[in-house]
């Protein structure tokens, strides 16, 4: 899955699937494992973004005459996550 929104959508679908009355125990376990894996990965992505936001919040106004705003690569598509 490519981005956070797609992962969130899949996690929501897993939540719906696991609640179905016709889901077997084996299927429920499979859904649960996939959901846990997705949730952990998303949590890491959110922690990373939170750290970058903290950096931005603790910096002086980036629109100063001394130079351009810092580039923190918040929404890059390189590597895992963003």
């Amino acid at each position: 899955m490519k981005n956070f929104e797609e992962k969130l959508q899949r996690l929501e679908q897993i939540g719906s699937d696991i609640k179905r009355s016709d889901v077997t125990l084996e299927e429920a376990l499979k859904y649960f494992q996939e959901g846990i894996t997705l949730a952990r990965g998303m949590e890491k992505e959110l922690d990373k973004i939170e750290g970058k936001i903290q950096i931005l919040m603790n910096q002086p106004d980036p629109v100063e005459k001394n130079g351009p705003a810092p580039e923190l690569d918040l929404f890059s598509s390189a590597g895992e996550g963003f």
Side-chain angles (χ1 to χ4, degrees):
M1 285 178 230
K2 294 180 181 157
N3 63 39
F4 191 86
E5 289 80 14
E6 288 175 352
K7 291 175 185 177
L8 182 59
Q9 186 177 20
R10 177 62 186 145
L11 193 56
E12 290 171 347
Q13 182 62 48
I14 289 169
S16 295
D17 289 345
I18 207 167
K19 293 176 187 175
R20 289 188 345 243
S21 61
D22 65 335
V23 70
T24 66
L25 183 59
E26 291 81 19
E27 289 173 322
L29 180 59
K30 180 182 136 203
Y31 288 138
F32 181 77
Q33 289 173 328
E34 182 182 356
I36 290 295
T37 301
L38 277 173
R40 286 182 180 157
M42 293 167 69
E43 184 177 24
K44 287 179 185 177
E45 289 179 41
L46 288 174
D47 287 344
K48 187 183 213 183
I49 291 169
E50 182 180 7
K52 290 178 182 183
I53 289 171
Q54 288 297 324
I55 291 169
L56 287 172
M57 295 299 293
N58 292 323
Q59 287 185 348
D61 187 6
V63 189
E64 294 179 4
K65 296 178 183 178
N66 297 338
E71 293 185 26
L72 296 177
D73 211 17
L74 284 175
F75 301 103
S76 73
S77 59
E80 176 112 3
F82 286 94

